[in-house]
Amino acid sequence: MNTRSCPDRFGLMALIAALVLLIAAVALSLVPPPAQAASLTRVTNFGTNPTGLNMYVYVPDRVAPRPAMLVMVHFCGGSASAVHNGNGRDYVTAADRLGYVIVYPEATRDGHCFDVSTPNALRRNGGGDSTGIMSMVSYARQRYNADAARIVVAGFSSGAMMTNVLAAQYPDVFSAGSAFSGVPAGCFATTNGSLWNSQCSGGNLLKTPQQWGDQARAMYPGYTGRYPRMQLWHGTTDTTLAYPNFGEELDQWTNLHGVSRTPVSTDQPQPSWTRTRYGTTGTTATIEGISIQGTGHSLPMAGMLAYSIAFLGLDKPPTTTTTTTTTTTPVPAGGCKVTASVSAWNTGLTETITIANTSAGAVNGWQLRFTLPGGQTITSGWSANYSPTSGEVTARNADYNAQIPPNGSVQIGFQATHTGDSAAAGEFTLNGERCAVG
């Protein structure tokens, strides 16, 4: 037996083994890491934010083309993560399945409640919490190419109160709302700077449907368009925001929609639930109220968010953006004003344009013409149809925002590429009338 052959053989085997391990290590290094799973993400610099709210978004791994957008507003003492990982979790799992985007406003003041009380908070573009939330909506609508006809809002307790306020102040933005344990828009109004109204919370602030409707209409004076569909939930033994507020909410929204306060249908989806529908029936009724017998301030409960998701239309396909066939109305001289703001980076930008009707009459159907700086080309847009994509552009209203009421406004925007000049568009005319810029 050759005594040298075994050590040589073992040495050769060791060398081969080392080479195999080296090849395996190299191969593993060439394999890309697994994609990071979708998670709750903080967004900064999203726009005007007068009260210092935080913004978080959840974008599922598979986003639908032109996705719906849910604005999810937390409860007093809550946070974005509290609803994302807690009692709003069913919205998240549905987003993973249906591909919609969730925007989470987060209150940062002591107590983490949303302001639905002060004068600034109860006026469209008034500089309160709702102003910051709408900046989040505009940012996300552009960033994720959201379906402007499927932007909806839902909230719990303080978030439910904000849901009512947002739907009243921005009826041209939201298509539907779902409020769990809330109060009518404006019910929590105060004049001393306090964010708490004991008369309202106790269910002792009672008004007629017309009075509640007028209070909501005062948040967006001059608006004559449609209001969002509303779904309202309340427990009969709620002592935090007392149960009479449920009836007052129904009074307000039936009045805003101009439908009878007498329900068109009544049923019990669950043994302790009583559901009433107003205006129309079906899953996407005009107004839906669900009263939960023997339940306090603890909504939502298991199974409720599935009904909310269906009511809000989050399970529906994207809408088709169309141009209205309404004949455009003339705009009086000096009857319009345009404000444009740009956020630019490298070779891209987004531009938000606010069109204000400063005349005494409504504008029904509109075309806004403007000139883009040289080198800019529109790649996508929202709330209008744009053509051509460079030079002198005409933005034509979508079917849902054709009317601009007296002293009202609409907001549109687009994303564009540029070759160095990222300035805002100029030379604005509305239905042929030159607009002031400012």
Side-chain angles (χ1 to χ4, degrees):
M1 178 176 179
N2 187 340
T3 57
R4 297 179 59 188
S5 63
C6 289
D8 288 347
R9 187 178 301 164
F10 287 134
L12 180 61
M13 291 174 65
L15 178 61
I16 292 171
L19 287 172
V20 169
L21 289 173
L22 177 61
I23 292 168
V26 171
L28 286 172
S29 71
L30 296 175
V31 175
Q36 185 177 2
S39 61
L40 189 65
T41 304
R42 172 86 182 273
V43 177
T44 58
N45 300 320
F46 52 83
T48 303
N49 185 24
T51 58
L53 302 177
N54 289 335
M55 175 184 179
Y56 289 84
V57 296
Y58 180 75
V59 182
D61 291 329
R62 289 186 294 275
V63 181
R66 295 183 61 238
M69 183 197 306
L70 168 64
V71 179
M72 176 71 252
V73 196
H74 67 71
F75 46 87
C76 249
S79 64
S81 62
V83 289
H84 179 78
N85 297 307
N87 55 357
R89 191 64 190 173
D90 286 353
Y91 285 133
V92 181
T93 56
D96 290 334
R97 185 177 74 254
L98 300 168
Y100 60 81
V101 174
I102 308 178
V103 173
Y104 296 91
E106 183 178 81
T108 57
R109 63 177 56 84
D110 289 347
H112 288 235
C113 299
F114 289 94
D115 179 5
V116 292
S117 303
T118 65
N120 286 350
L122 297 176
R123 185 175 70 251
R124 182 182 172 99
N125 301 326
D129 284 354
S130 57
T131 299
I133 293 173
M134 294 314 298
S135 294
M136 300 178 198
V137 171
S138 295
Y139 173 92
R141 181 161 57 180
Q142 298 172 57
R143 176 68 178 81
Y144 304 110
N145 192 32
D147 183 353
R150 292 194 301 150
I151 298 175
V152 297
V153 57
F156 312 150
S157 188
S158 177
M161 294 192 283
M162 178 58 79
T163 294
N164 278 281
V165 167
L166 288 171
Q169 287 182 2
Y170 299 91
D172 52 336
V173 174
F174 295 101
S175 61
S178 188
F180 292 81
S181 306
V183 303
C187 184
F188 246 57
T190 59
T191 57
N192 60 0
S194 170
L195 301 189
W196 189 261
N197 185 319
S198 296
Q199 186 182 16
C200 177
S201 66
N204 298 314
L205 189 54
L206 308 178
K207 298 185 180 184
T208 67
Q210 185 67 45
Q211 288 172 326
W212 281 125
D214 289 345
Q215 187 156 355
R217 281 183 281 268
M219 297 180 188
Y220 186 9
Y223 179 73
T224 57
R226 64 110 180 102
Y227 278 84
R229 296 182 302 103
M230 286 298 292
Q231 182 187 58
L232 306 165
W233 300 74
H234 224 106
T236 61
T237 59
D238 192 333
T239 57
T240 302
L241 297 173
Y243 183 67
N245 283 302
F246 176 61
E248 302 301 293
E249 286 178 290
L250 290 171
D251 284 348
Q252 184 173 68
W253 287 100
T254 52
N255 181 264
L256 287 170
H257 280 275
V259 301
S260 173
R261 184 62 170 81
T262 302
V264 294
S265 69
T266 302
D267 64 356
Q268 288 190 294
Q270 301 291 338
S272 63
W273 302 9
T274 299
R275 178 172 61 188
T276 51
R277 286 169 167 163
Y278 306 82
T280 58
T281 60
T283 304
T284 56
T286 307
I287 299 153
E288 185 171 88
I290 303 97
S291 174
I292 314 300
Q293 183 66 37
T295 297
H297 199 69
S298 57
L299 305 183
M301 301 170 72
M304 291 181 177
L305 295 193
Y307 288 84
S308 174
I309 289 163
F311 179 86
L312 294 172
L314 291 169
D315 55 350
K316 299 294 188 295
T319 59
T320 301
T321 302
T322 59
T323 303
T324 183
T325 57
T326 303
T327 303
T328 58
T329 56
V331 177
C336 58
K337 181 180 179 180
V338 171
T339 304
S341 61
V342 173
S343 176
W345 65 91
N346 298 330
T347 59
L349 63 85
T350 58
E351 181 163 344
T352 301
I353 299 172
T354 301
I355 311 166
N357 174 14
T358 57
S359 71
V363 173
N364 293 295
W366 51 265
Q367 296 183 12
L368 181 74
R369 290 187 179 177
F370 55 86
T371 302
L372 290 177
Q376 290 189 17
T377 302
I378 295 174
T379 56
S380 63
W382 49 270
S383 295
N385 299 283
Y386 301 85
S387 65
T389 57
S390 60
E392 186 177 277
V393 178
T394 299
R396 296 174 174 84
N397 64 266
D399 55 355
Y400 58 86
N401 65 358
Q403 184 184 85
I404 313 177
N407 300 313
S409 64
V410 297
Q411 194 174 76
I412 65 174
F414 57 83
Q415 185 165 319
T417 58
H418 66 85
T419 57
D421 188 347
S422 59
E427 302 178 22
F428 295 96
T429 60
L430 183 66
N431 293 356
E433 176 61 32
R434 184 168 294 278
C435 297
V437 179

